[in-house]
Amino acid sequence: MAFFFGVFLGVSIGIGLIIAFARYGKIRSTRRTDLARTIAAFARLTVQDSRKILPRQFYPPWVVFSQRQKLGWLNVQLEKIWPSVDEAASELIRASVEPILEQYTPAILSSMKFDKLTLGTVAPQFTGISIVESESGADGITMEMDMQWDGNPNIVLNINTKLGVSLPVQVKDIGFTGVFRLIFKPLVAQFPCFGAVAYSLREKRYLDFTLKVIGGDLSSIPGVSDAIEETIRNAVEDSITWPVRNIVPILPGDYSGLELKPVGTLDVKLVQAKELTNKDIIGKSDPFAVLFIRPLPDKTKRSKTIVQYLPSANDDNQLNPIWNENFEFIVEDVSTQHLTIKVFDDEGVQGAELIGCAQLALKELEPGKVKDVWLKLVKDLLVQRDNKYRGQVQLELLYNPYGTDSTFKNPFDANFSLTSLEKALKSPNSETEALAPEKAGQKKREVIVRGVLSVLVISGENLPPVDFNGKADPFVVLTMKKSETKSKTRVANETLNPVWNQTFDFVVEDALHEMLIIEVWDHDTFRKEKIGRIVMTLTRVLLEGEFQDNFTIDGAKSGNLHLHLKWSPQLVFRDRDTQ
């Protein structure tokens, strides 16, 4: 009996367990289905739906639904910690900026040092934040933050002049708007997940401040106020403005790879300008150009001034200056840097007046290839509201990255660096002079490009009529600018489509710095009238060896010249002082 009871009990419990497991499986399946439907429904929720379900008073402080709210939360937290940030940032600024102030102290001053430095009680406000994916890379994060600051700092500079006068100058009413870049790199597995932070002022949109002598008037000493302001702006530019990167190590390691390093050179030939705005009431402007990649005194280049001459029939006024000058710049970040050119009218002791400015992004240049550009001048590079035409500037540019191979070697000194353009111009069959090794050790030699330039003046087309009969008597004058060698064609009588077919050979001593000026004139019995001109460097014929093309005549209402140019090179070496 006990046996049968045990069998019955076991079968009953087994059946019960089977039924229970079956029912639990069904309930579990139903719950999964309901959960999947709920998750799908939440996935379709919009921000507006979420706000209806959960009122704002129940939001955690870190939950945000817009960038404005996110930045508002960030600015609130920054205000809380600002007293500590002020103390740390003030010490950092004093340590990094003071040596640069010494470096850029103008001649009128003997020293500039901080007497007091605090950033005040007003914290900056962040107005935008973004992640720069294109420059972050696999082992770092690059973040850019728009910042605005109308601060009340307490900054006092102790300034000593060469006249023996000590001036406590207060910097006040600072207004600043810009973009800061933060680079968290490299990413590591150890907390806080990055090894160092590099910070930089990526873009300076607005910076203004006032200077006040404590207990005196700064204007009583002429030139001091402008000198101090320029020094402060240079210090900001050199200490924190991109591509400068200030590195703060977080974890022990070598972070020299984050430091600013030159990546190449930029060769610039300032060729000419045309149709510049005249800034003088009487006469014409005396233009000069200032070029820079970084606007620092030791990194800025200035051209010569094209001085106004007495007007004459043969004078091409200074609104169409020809400079033909060469400059070299160090490039530190080709992806973000620009070449800036500003053209001024030299007013002598009154200071220079800006005619116009232009800018070219270096990333538009192809490494190792010469680029010929015409840049339109504007009044302001940041706020381009003035559409008035101010003229154009012609430049030839060559970007040469470091580490690129070149077949151009100096046979006398393997460590002597030739210009980038000379490297590009080297041809395999170029012949060079032989020189004894002992003589090479005594003097350094500089390679120059010497040769013969052959110019075939073929014809002119559609020249403007300048005579009463609707015709012209044109002839062409060819001038090498540096050597001032001249040649001219015969006169073609009563035609607007002259044919000359005349060849002229010029011995060129330094082709990299020479220029060909071609002027078209009308011949009359009692006077000559200029129709227009063509200005060209020898870069194209040096690179191509020979070419034929039509050239538009500048300054003429219509017309072009058909020319054929050929270059026969002969490299030579000129002595220069041993350095």
Side-chain angles (χ1 to χ4, degrees), residues 103-133:
Q103 178 183 352
Y104 290 110
T105 299
I108 194 174
L109 306 177
S110 60
S111 66
M112 293 179 65
K113 294 184 180 297
F114 288 110
D115 188 25
K116 295 180 181 179
L117 175 58
T118 61
L119 300 181
T121 59
V122 180
Q125 296 290 303
F126 293 105
T127 59
I129 184 171
S130 62
I131 302 297
V132 187
E133 296 286 355

Side-chain angles (χ1 to χ4, degrees), residues 366-383:
E366 182 179 342
K369 184 175 181 179
V370 178
K371 184 176 178 115
D372 184 3
V373 295
W374 280 94
L375 300 179
K376 184 179 178 181
L377 297 176
V378 297
K379 182 179 181 180
D380 192 291
L381 293 172
L382 297 178
V383 183

Side-chain angles (χ1 to χ4, degrees), residues 84-110:
S84 300
V85 173
D86 174 21
E87 184 177 353
S90 298
E91 290 301 318
L92 183 63
I93 292 172
R94 182 189 293 269
S96 59
V97 175
E98 204 165 66
I100 298 175
L101 287 176
E102 281 187 31
Q103 178 183 352
Y104 290 110
T105 299
I108 194 174
L109 306 177
S110 60

Side-chain angles (χ1 to χ4, degrees), residues 303-359:
S303 74
K304 61 179 178 287
T305 300
I306 307 298
V307 181
Q308 175 181 294
Y309 297 99
L310 294 175
S312 66
N314 296 332
D315 180 43
D316 209 355
N317 65 46
Q318 281 61 53
L319 302 183
N320 299 282
I322 299 175
W323 284 290
N324 189 34
E325 293 189 59
N326 296 266
F327 307 100
E328 184 177 270
F329 298 91
I330 300 297
V331 179
E332 294 152 323
D333 189 344
V334 70
S335 64
T336 61
Q337 288 188 305
H338 297 75
L339 174 70
T340 301
I341 178 170
K342 295 185 176 182
V343 180
F344 294 89
D345 175 25
D346 193 344
E347 299 289 348
V349 294
Q350 298 180 8
E353 184 176 1
L354 179 67
I355 296 176
C357 52
Q359 205 170 61

Side-chain angles (χ1 to χ4, degrees), residues 31-257:
R31 287 178 177 175
R32 286 180 176 179
T33 303
D34 293 340
L35 180 60
R37 289 174 180 171
T38 303
I39 292 174
F42 272 108
R44 291 191 295 270
L45 284 178
T46 64
V47 173
Q48 289 75 19
D49 296 331
S50 302
R51 288 173 175 171
K52 292 177 183 178
I53 295 172
L54 185 66
R56 181 176 293 275
Q57 60 266 28
F58 296 106
Y59 292 170
W62 49 268
V63 175
V64 292
F65 292 96
S66 68
Q67 188 181 61
R68 179 177 296 179
Q69 290 173 321
K70 182 188 298 182
L71 293 171
W73 177 80
L74 179 62
N75 289 327
V76 169
Q77 306 310 312
L78 180 59
E79 288 179 3
K80 292 180 180 179
I81 65 172
W82 180 245
S84 300
V85 173
D86 174 21
E87 184 177 353
S90 298
E91 290 301 318
L92 183 63
I93 292 172
R94 182 189 293 269
S96 59
V97 175
E98 204 165 66
I100 298 175
L101 287 176
E102 281 187 31
Q103 178 183 352
Y104 290 110
T105 299
I108 194 174
L109 306 177
S110 60
S111 66
M112 293 179 65
K113 294 184 180 297
F114 288 110
D115 188 25
K116 295 180 181 179
L117 175 58
T118 61
L119 300 181
T121 59
V122 180
Q125 296 290 303
F126 293 105
T127 59
I129 184 171
S130 62
I131 302 297
V132 187
E133 296 286 355
S134 60
E135 298 190 25
S136 293
D139 63 338
I141 298 174
T142 301
M143 177 186 298
E144 289 191 347
M145 307 181 74
D146 290 72
M147 193 185 82
Q148 180 178 339
W149 186 41
D150 296 315
N152 60 345
N154 183 14
I155 302 175
V156 178
L157 291 169
N158 186 16
I159 297 174
N160 295 310
T161 69
K162 291 290 180 66
L163 302 175
V165 179
S166 181
L167 301 173
V169 176
Q170 184 179 14
V171 183
K172 56 185 299 186
D173 300 330
I174 293 180
F176 171 80
T177 303
V179 179
F180 272 89
R181 171 172 285 190
L182 301 176
I183 302 175
F184 302 90
K185 194 173 184 178
L187 300 180
V188 295
Q190 183 180 355
F191 185 82
C193 302
F194 53 88
V197 179
Y199 65 91
S200 176
L201 177 59
R202 174 66 181 83
E203 181 182 349
K204 182 179 61 182
R205 294 174 180 167
Y206 174 77
L207 174 61
D208 193 22
F209 53 86
T210 58
L211 301 174
K212 181 181 178 181
V213 174
I214 300 176
D217 184 9
L218 193 60
S219 61
S220 60
I221 305 178
V224 172
S225 178
D226 292 340
I228 296 173
E229 181 174 342
E230 182 181 2
T231 302
I232 292 174
R233 293 184 183 275
N234 288 336
V236 171
E237 181 71 31
D238 200 17
S239 63
I240 196 173
T241 304
W242 183 267
V244 172
R245 296 149 206 172
N246 297 280
I247 302 170
V248 180
I250 304 298
L251 300 174
D254 180 15
Y255 304 111
S256 58

Side-chain angles (χ1 to χ4, degrees), residues 279-432:
K279 290 294 183 178
D280 291 347
I281 299 176
I282 301 176
K284 302 295 183 182
S285 297
D286 300 325
F288 68 91
V290 172
L291 302 94
F292 58 84
I293 293 179
R294 295 183 62 196
L296 297 169
D298 59 336
K299 300 181 186 296
T300 299
K301 312 293 185 181
R302 172 175 169 161
S303 74
K304 61 179 178 287
T305 300
I306 307 298
V307 181
Q308 175 181 294
Y309 297 99
L310 294 175
S312 66
N314 296 332
D315 180 43
D316 209 355
N317 65 46
Q318 281 61 53
L319 302 183
N320 299 282
I322 299 175
W323 284 290
N324 189 34
E325 293 189 59
N326 296 266
F327 307 100
E328 184 177 270
F329 298 91
I330 300 297
V331 179
E332 294 152 323
D333 189 344
V334 70
S335 64
T336 61
Q337 288 188 305
H338 297 75
L339 174 70
T340 301
I341 178 170
K342 295 185 176 182
V343 180
F344 294 89
D345 175 25
D346 193 344
E347 299 289 348
V349 294
Q350 298 180 8
E353 184 176 1
L354 179 67
I355 296 176
C357 52
Q359 205 170 61
L360 179 79
L362 300 188
K363 63 183 179 182
E364 297 180 12
L365 303 178
E366 182 179 342
K369 184 175 181 179
V370 178
K371 184 176 178 115
D372 184 3
V373 295
W374 280 94
L375 300 179
K376 184 179 178 181
L377 297 176
V378 297
K379 182 179 181 180
D380 192 291
L381 293 172
L382 297 178
V383 183
Q384 299 185 12
R385 297 177 181 173
D386 186 351
N387 296 322
K388 179 182 177 182
Y389 183 72
R390 298 173 177 274
Q392 301 180 66
V393 176
Q394 184 186 11
L395 302 172
E396 279 187 356
L397 307 166
L398 175 64
Y399 170 56
N400 187 54
Y402 290 147
T404 55
D405 293 332
S406 173
T407 58
F408 203 147
K409 304 294 183 182
N410 188 338
F412 313 123
D413 185 354
N415 297 320
F416 179 65
S417 175
L418 302 173
T419 68
S420 302
L421 187 54
E422 287 169 353
K423 294 177 183 178
L425 295 177
K426 174 65 177 176
S427 59
N429 57 356
S430 296
E431 296 181 358
T432 57

